[in-house]
């Protein structure tokens, strides 16, 4: 008859794993892949599936357009300097809502909601933070070309003084029409749909 008295070892291991999971920040345990993903908040973008990630593999920061904003830099600076994150991936996508309205319409809509945009708090916890002489449209960061936008977000991260130089930064465009990732500027459909001269 088999000895079943060692089942506690399995239970102890499970308890220890759960403890590590719950305390991973306090214990200095990084994400499984030391990865931060910056992506658009669009509900059609299955970030984990597209990158082959599981829970615990990466920190995922989503915002309108997958833009590198001051808060993205803040979060990236903290995770790369204090949580062993050594890779950042930016995911932008086709048919993005940030390409869907002219600047004037965005301006008018925000002004209708908030009144004089010069007086609106950008960060409720930092009321002294404002956009200075910049245009509110620069803050919103509408997009004309998704490939150019993706490449620009990657460059903003690479050039940030707050992110270590050894951090690898890459960018991809998720095609909502095909459900696949591609590199910015690598529009395969354009190439294979045109006759070669």
């Amino acid at each position: 008859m088999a000895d079943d008295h060692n089942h506690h070892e399995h239970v102890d291991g499970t308890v220890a794993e759960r403890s590590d999971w719950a305390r991973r920040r306090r214990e200095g345990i990084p994400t499984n892949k030391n990865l931060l993903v910056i992506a658009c908040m669009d509900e059609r973008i299955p970030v984990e599936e597209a990158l082959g990630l599981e829970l615990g593999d990466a920190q995922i920061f989503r915002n309108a357009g997958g833009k590198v904003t001051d808060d993205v830099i803040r979060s990236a600076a903290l995770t790369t300097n204090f949580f062993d994150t050594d890779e950042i991936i930016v995911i932008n996508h086709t048919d993005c809502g940030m390409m869907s309205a002219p600047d004037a319409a965005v301006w008018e809509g925000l002004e209708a909601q908030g009144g004089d945009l010069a007086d609106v708090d950008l960060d409720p916890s930092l009321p002294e933070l404002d956009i200075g002489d910049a245009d509110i449209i620069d803050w919103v960061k509408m997009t004309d070309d998704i490939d150019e936008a993706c490449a620009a977000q990657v460059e903003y991260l690479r050039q940030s003084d707050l992110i270590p130089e050894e951090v690898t930064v890459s960018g991809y465009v998720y095609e909502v029409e095909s459900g696949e990732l591609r590199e910015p500027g690598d529009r395969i459909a354009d190439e294979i749909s045109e006759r070669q001269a």
Side-chain angles (χ1 to χ4, degrees), residues 133-179:
D133 296 331
D135 190 306
I136 196 75
I137 294 301
D138 295 331
W139 175 71
V140 171
K141 299 181 184 298
M142 295 299 286
T143 297
D144 293 323
D145 182 298
I146 200 63
D147 291 77
E148 290 176 6
C150 185
Q153 305 320 301
V154 169
E155 198 57 31
Y156 295 149
L157 287 162
R158 287 180 179 159
Q159 296 301 318
S160 174
D161 292 336
L162 297 174
I163 298 171
E165 288 185 15
E166 61 271 16
V167 172
T168 301
V169 184
S170 306
Y172 300 95
V173 173
Y174 178 82
E175 295 183 329
V176 294
E177 60 274 27
S178 68

Side-chain angles (χ1 to χ4, degrees), residues 182-193:
R182 64 170 170 77
E183 293 183 354
D186 189 20
R187 299 180 184 184
I188 297 171
D190 291 348
E191 294 179 11
I192 64 176
S193 297

Side-chain angles (χ1 to χ4, degrees), residues 85-100:
T85 296
D86 58 15
E87 183 177 10
I88 302 173
I89 292 178
V90 175
I91 299 182
N92 295 138
H93 68 98
T94 57
D95 194 41
C96 185
M98 298 300 286
M99 302 170 67
S100 65

